[in-house]
């Protein structure tokens, strides 16, 4: 932490702490302003106060009397000033006040001090051991019997960024006073210094309008509001140091030591048609798809060729955000007649054993946000093969220019598994799942998909599993063998990837193997993130930790410590039909993503009114923003309003 340039000390008693600080910073450019609540005559009655005030002034500091730390914005002497650090040592209401009054003191102080705190400033609050109510207090009081310092700071949109021991020995002349409004000191043994900083403000969900080419036709659609903050973030762009990109690089480099890995650089649309998903619907539940209704469809769109497909721009309407990801570059356009050939050629070999029951809503929508990259992987591979076969070496060169090969010290997995048979073709990008809210249930994540064709005698499932286990087992990933492949799991998130075979290869002596990995969950494992939502934080304190390319296993250092959980129930009457997925979508939107768990705790159907009552319990919690009880309640009230207007429920 860099030294403060301006420091405000509030709630001083005998000014001994301010005097010690003034002496410590005497040779620097830091300015000290010391204040106390009492008027000058009363304040100077404290033992040693007059001498300490003189030390402060001699060191170039300022002393102000009659300053209420809960009304700093009203102090005329502080008007127009901002401070890099505001310090409140051992706050106390005075006399024998209880925890509720001291909580209120803290809350009002925090709300007041942000009015004079610099944008990158810090608030330092020292408390006796046990008062703060955080796990750093040992022994820890029951939460209701503590001052709940982190929760009180959150009311002023401040987050607890650091806790460290209060080093009284650094301030030789410091003599704490004011215990129960007397010239008695507090017990500073094991006291803790709490450091608070500004939280980023919450931003409202907004509708993004996207235009892209799907099967040779330009279409426009709105992205669901609850997904708006996940779009066009550019985590996988070239040069990115986001942990999702670092996780991908780690995996690709590890696999490249055994096999050649070629990653496509072509941009693929977010939208899929229902027919595309039916072609290869491996383990995709249509009820978990985000079905999309188009705003506009260009039915007169000409068939595009490889020469003009780069002119098809993927755009989105958001004046506040720049286009900074490869998702926002030219959209890949597959001509409609080519897609028909692809489907005719691959329908039998690529169709999964499971059958896709198209969602009733989807039958009219026909389009969905891609729940998997597998359909587009299939089309890219077939298109690549066709271009090579139809146009010879020139097209082969063109196709190869649209991929990036990951270099490594490749070792042949077994005799005869060289050449094209040892090539893994890869693609990565966002996928979308409309799933119920749960702690490790991701509505959006980055999927890494790899496909290779191997001689059957190589036992490629086993070889790939062994390599993935070598890479990921140190981070808690376990491999479970199942029919036709492997499942990669980890605690507490569950499934993080799969390895499975497909029937895409006509030659029975070869086997096609696909690897699907959830990069977001793996990034959380590799860097010990407590919550996947941190990956989507806009806070520079998050991205700064990855600027130097930390190696996997480097633990993330939270910039918001011990955020509180808040629980609210919501109950309402619905009509005869109820779509729970729309309820979860409304919760995500209204809560700004702060709800981490939703649990149905009661359901009652009225025998006469054809109505059903539902009661859900919502847990609000955020590692990325300050979340106070007041803020969580505002989100909850907004949810009630949204449910009433959008889903026509009657709040109970």
């Amino acid at each position: 932490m860099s030294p403060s340039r301006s420091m405000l000390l509030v709630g001083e008693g005998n000014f001994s702490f301010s005097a010690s600080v003034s002496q410590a910073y005497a040779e620097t450019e830091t300015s000290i302003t010391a204040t106390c609540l009492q008027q000058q005559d009363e304040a100077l009655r404290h033992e040693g106060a007059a001498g300490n005030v003189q030390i402060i002034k001699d060191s170039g500091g300022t002393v102000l009397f009659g300053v209420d730390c809960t009304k700093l914005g009203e102090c005329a002497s502080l008007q127009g000033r901002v401070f890099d650090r505001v310090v409140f040592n051992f706050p106390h209401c005075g006399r024998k006040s209880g925890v509720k009054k001291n909580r209120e003191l803290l809350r009002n102080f925090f709300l007041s001090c942000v009015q004079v705190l610099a944008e990158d400033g810090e608030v330092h609050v020292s408390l006796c051991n046990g008062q703060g109510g955080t796990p750093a207090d040992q022994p820890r009081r029951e939460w209701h019997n503590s001052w709940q310092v982190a929760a009180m700071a959150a009311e002023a949109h401040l987050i607890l960024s650091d806790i460290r021991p209060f080093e009284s020995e650094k301030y030789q002349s410091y003599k704490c006073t004011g215990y129960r409004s007397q010239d008695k000191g507090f017990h500073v043994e094991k006291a803790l210094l709490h450091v608070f900083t500004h939280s980023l403000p919450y931003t409202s969900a907004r509708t993004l309008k996207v235009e892209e080419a799907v099967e040779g036709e330009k279409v426009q659609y709105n992205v669901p509001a609850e997904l708006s903050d996940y779009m066009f973030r550019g985590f996988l762009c070239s040069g990115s140091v986001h942990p999702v990109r670092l996780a991908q690089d780690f995996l690709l480099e590890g696999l490249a030591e055994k096999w050649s890995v070629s990653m496509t650089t072509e941009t693929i649309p977010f939208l899929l048609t229902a027919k595309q998903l039916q072609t290869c619907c491996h383990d995709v539940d249509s009820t978990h798809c985000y079905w999309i209704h188009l705003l506009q469809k260009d039915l007169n769109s000409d068939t595009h060729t490889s020469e003009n497909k780069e002119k098809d721009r993927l755009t989105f309407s958001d004046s506040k955000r720049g286009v900074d990801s490869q998702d926002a570059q030219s959209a890949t356009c597959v001509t409609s007649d080519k897609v028909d050939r692809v489907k005719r050629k691959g329908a039998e070999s690529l169709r999964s054993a499971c059958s896709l029951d198209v969602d009733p809503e989807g039958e009219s929508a026909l389009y969905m946000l891609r729940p998997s990259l597998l359909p587009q992987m299939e089309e890219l591979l077939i298109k690549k093969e066709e271009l090579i076969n139809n146009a010879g070496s020139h097209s082969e060169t063109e196709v190869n220019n649209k991929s990036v090969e990951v270099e490594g010290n490749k070792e042949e997995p077994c005799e005869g598994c060289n050449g094209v048979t040892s090539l893994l073709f890869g693609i990565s990008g966002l996928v979308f799942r409309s799933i119920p809210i749960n702690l490790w249930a991701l509505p959006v994540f980055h999927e890494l998909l790899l496909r290779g064709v191997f001689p059957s005698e190589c036992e490629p499932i086993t070889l790939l599993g062994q390599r993935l286990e070598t890479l990921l087992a140190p981070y808690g990933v376990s491999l479970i063998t199942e029919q036709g492949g492997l499942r990669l799991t980890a605690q507490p998130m569950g499934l993080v990837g799969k390895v499975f075979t497909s029937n895409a290869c006509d030659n029975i002596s070869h086997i096609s193997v696909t690897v699907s990995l959830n990069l977001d969950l793996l990034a959380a494992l590799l860097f010990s993130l407590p919550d996947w939502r941190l990956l989507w934080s806009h806070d520079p304190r998050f991205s700064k930790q990855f600027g130097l390319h930390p190696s996997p296993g480097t633990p993330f250092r939270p910039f918001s410590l011990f955020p509180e959980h808040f629980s609210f129930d919501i109950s309402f009457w619905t009509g005869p039909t109820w779509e729970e997925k729309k309820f979860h979508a409304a919760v995500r939107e209204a809560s700004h993503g702060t709800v981490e768990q939703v649990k149905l705790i009661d359901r009652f159907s009225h025998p006469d009114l054809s109505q059903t009552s539902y009661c859900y319990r919502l847990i609000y919690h955020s590692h990325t923003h300050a979340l106070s009880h007041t803020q969580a309640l505002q989100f909850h009230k907004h949810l009630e309003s949204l449910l009433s207007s959008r889903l026509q429920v009657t709040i109970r």
Side-chain angles (χ1 to χ4, degrees):
M1 182 181 64
S2 58
S4 296
R5 294 176 298 278
S6 59
M7 188 184 305
L8 173 67
L9 298 100
V10 303
E12 284 291 276
N14 57 18
F15 291 95
S16 60
F17 183 79
S18 296
S20 296
V21 172
S22 296
Q23 290 174 322
Y25 286 92
E27 303 301 322
T28 71
E29 296 181 359
T30 299
S31 64
I32 305 294
T33 302
T35 71
C36 73
L37 179 62
Q38 294 88 3
Q39 295 300 322
Q40 183 171 354
D41 290 345
E42 183 181 357
L44 293 181
R45 292 175 190 163
H46 290 290
E47 182 182 351
N52 292 327
V53 168
Q54 192 60 47
I55 291 173
I56 297 169
K57 292 180 177 179
D58 291 345
S59 301
T62 303
V63 178
L64 301 176
F65 299 95
V67 177
D68 187 342
C69 69
T70 66
K71 299 177 181 178
L72 294 174
E74 300 177 11
C75 178
S77 300
L78 299 179
Q79 292 294 318
R81 298 185 63 185
V82 292
F83 296 88
D84 299 293
R85 183 182 297 175
V86 179
V87 180
F88 197 174
N89 268 343
F90 304 105
H92 198 273
C93 286
R95 302 195 182 277
K96 201 171 181 179
S97 53
V99 293
K100 289 185 178 180
K101 285 187 177 180
N102 285 303
R103 265 187 231 143
E104 192 68 17
L105 169 64
L106 284 176
R107 177 181 181 275
N108 292 334
F109 160 68
F110 286 125
L111 289 169
S112 170
C113 78
V114 294
Q115 301 176 50
V116 297
L117 185 66
E119 184 177 350
D120 58 348
E122 297 179 345
V123 181
H124 289 205
V125 177
S126 300
L127 296 174
C128 297
N129 183 37
Q131 289 178 338
T134 71
D137 290 295
Q138 295 298 328
R140 187 181 181 185
R141 294 184 190 176
E142 293 182 346
W143 194 70
H144 70 272
N145 195 34
S146 74
W147 293 13
Q148 303 171 9
V149 63
M152 296 303 102
E155 296 287 345
H157 307 289
L158 296 170
I159 55 177
L160 178 59
S161 297
D162 192 18
I163 298 182
R164 51 182 180 263
F166 177 75
E167 299 174 318
S168 57
E169 64 276 5
K170 288 178 60 176
Y171 310 101
Q172 296 294 332
S173 60
Y174 174 50
K175 179 184 177 182
C176 66
T177 186
Y179 175 70
R180 294 187 177 178
S181 302
Q182 304 173 49
D183 264 337
K184 292 183 179 181
F186 294 93
H187 296 289
V188 298
E189 297 82 8
K190 297 185 179 180
L192 295 174
L193 173 64
H194 303 74
V195 180
F196 300 90
T197 56
H198 282 293
S199 166
L200 288 186
Y202 288 95
T203 55
S204 299
R206 51 183 174 268
T207 300
L208 298 180
K209 185 170 73 173
V210 177
E211 177 184 289
E212 58 186 0
V214 181
E215 294 193 296
E217 295 177 330
K218 288 185 179 179
V219 297
Q220 290 184 1
Y221 61 94
N222 286 334
V223 174
E226 72 270 19
L227 302 180
S228 62
D229 197 43
Y230 300 109
M231 308 296 289
F232 307 106
R233 297 291 295 273
F235 294 167
L236 294 177
C237 280
S238 176
S240 169
V241 292
H242 190 275
V244 168
R245 175 62 190 246
L246 298 180
Q248 175 175 284
D249 291 346
F250 167 71
L251 290 164
L252 294 180
E253 289 168 6
L255 292 170
E257 293 180 6
K258 297 288 186 179
W259 303 278
S260 294
V261 181
S262 178
M263 293 292 293
T264 183
T265 58
E266 286 198 61
T267 304
I268 57 177
F270 292 123
L271 280 194
L272 281 180
T273 65
K275 290 182 179 179
Q276 284 176 294
L277 192 62
Q278 283 177 322
T279 302
C280 46
C281 60
H282 195 282
D283 288 343
V284 173
D285 186 346
S286 65
T287 62
H288 291 165
C289 293
Y290 278 101
W291 295 93
I292 298 295
H293 293 275
L294 299 184
L295 298 175
Q296 180 178 334
K297 183 175 181 180
D298 186 359
L299 298 176
N300 299 319
S301 168
D302 295 331
T303 300
H304 298 280
T305 64
S306 59
E307 285 79 15
N308 64 16
K309 69 184 178 183
E310 295 296 331
K311 298 178 183 179
D312 292 318
R313 304 295 294 176
L314 176 63
T315 61
F316 64 98
S317 57
D318 184 354
S319 60
K320 295 184 180 180
R321 190 180 305 173
V323 179
D324 63 350
S325 81
Q326 70 175 25
D327 287 331
Q329 295 173 2
S330 57
T332 301
C333 179
V334 184
T335 61
S336 57
D337 59 332
K338 184 177 296 183
V339 171
D340 290 338
R341 292 200 306 273
V342 168
K343 290 178 178 176
R344 286 196 301 270
K345 180 176 179 180
E348 289 187 12
S349 61
L350 301 179
R351 187 177 301 276
S352 174
C354 65
S355 61
L356 177 70
D357 296 324
V358 178
D359 186 275
E361 179 185 351
E363 290 182 352
S364 60
L366 296 179
Y367 293 88
M368 73 194 75
L369 292 175
R370 60 194 188 206
S372 169
L373 298 176
L374 191 57
Q376 290 155 321
M377 160 79 87
E378 303 285 6
E379 292 180 0
L380 286 173
L381 286 172
I382 295 174
K383 183 177 70 169
K384 181 176 181 179
E385 183 180 354
E386 285 187 344
L387 288 172
I388 292 174
N389 293 338
N390 295 338
S393 60
H394 174 74
S395 292
E396 182 176 2
T397 301
E398 180 181 342
V399 171
N400 287 339
N401 286 337
K402 290 194 172 292
S403 64
V404 176
E405 185 167 341
V406 181
E407 295 293 338
N409 298 321
K410 291 171 280 294
E411 302 173 8
E412 299 302 331
C414 72
E415 188 175 354
C417 297
N418 51 13
V420 70
T421 58
S422 62
L423 172 67
L424 289 173
F425 179 77
I427 186 173
S428 60
L430 287 178
V431 294
F432 307 84
R433 305 283 175 89
S434 181
I435 54 179
I437 296 172
N438 210 338
L439 191 59
W440 290 100
L442 284 60
V444 181
F445 63 90
H446 297 81
E447 181 184 29
L448 172 61
L449 204 61
L450 299 165
R451 167 69 62 82
V453 179
F454 302 86
S456 301
E457 68 270 15
C458 288
E459 298 184 358
I461 292 282
T462 301
L463 291 174
L464 282 165
Q466 290 174 347
R467 188 60 189 152
L468 289 171
E469 187 173 31
T470 299
L471 293 171
L472 298 174
Y475 308 101
V477 176
S478 302
L479 273 65
I480 301 173
T481 303
E482 61 181 7
Q483 185 176 2
L486 300 169
R487 292 169 61 87
L488 284 73
T489 64
Q491 294 299 326
M493 54 273 297
L495 184 69
V496 298
K498 297 178 293 184
V499 181
F500 55 92
T501 60
S502 66
N503 301 319
C505 186
D506 296 330
N507 189 340
I508 60 174
S509 65
H510 287 71
I511 185 172
S512 176
V513 180
T514 301
V515 179
S516 172
L517 299 172
N518 186 322
L519 290 176
D520 294 51
L521 292 181
L522 290 174
L525 280 173
L526 295 179
F527 298 104
S528 303
L529 300 181
D531 191 325
W532 64 269
R533 293 173 294 177
L534 276 162
L535 293 167
W536 301 92
S537 173
H538 293 274
D539 199 305
R541 287 169 288 194
F542 176 80
S543 55
K544 183 179 179 180
Q545 294 195 35
F546 301 93
L548 297 178
H549 293 75
S551 58
T554 305
F556 169 73
R557 300 184 306 279
F559 56 85
S560 177
L561 301 176
F562 314 126
E564 300 293 349
H565 295 73
F566 300 101
S567 175
F568 294 101
D569 292 351
I570 187 168
S571 58
F572 45 82
W573 289 102
T574 71
T577 60
W578 170 244
E579 296 183 68
E580 192 173 55
K581 62 188 273 185
K582 290 186 177 180
F583 168 69
H584 285 271
V587 171
R588 285 190 173 101
E589 180 180 345
S591 71
H592 297 255
T594 59
V595 171
E596 68 178 18
Q597 284 187 301
V598 175
K599 182 179 180 180
L600 178 65
I601 60 175
D602 188 43
R603 180 179 181 273
F604 168 72
S605 295
H606 197 287
D608 301 323
L609 300 179
S610 298
Q611 290 183 321
T612 302
S613 170
Y614 292 89
C615 181
Y616 291 91
R617 178 158 296 158
L618 279 58
I619 306 297
Y620 292 78
H621 186 222
S622 175
H623 284 276
T624 60
H625 293 77
L627 182 64
S628 64
H629 183 275
T630 302
Q631 182 70 76
L633 186 58
Q634 287 179 0
F635 289 158
H636 203 68
K637 293 297 183 183
H638 179 48
L639 173 62
E640 291 180 350
S641 175
L642 199 61
L643 292 176
S644 298
S645 61
R646 184 176 297 177
L647 301 186
Q648 286 76 52
V649 305
T650 302
I651 303 296
R652 296 181 61 185

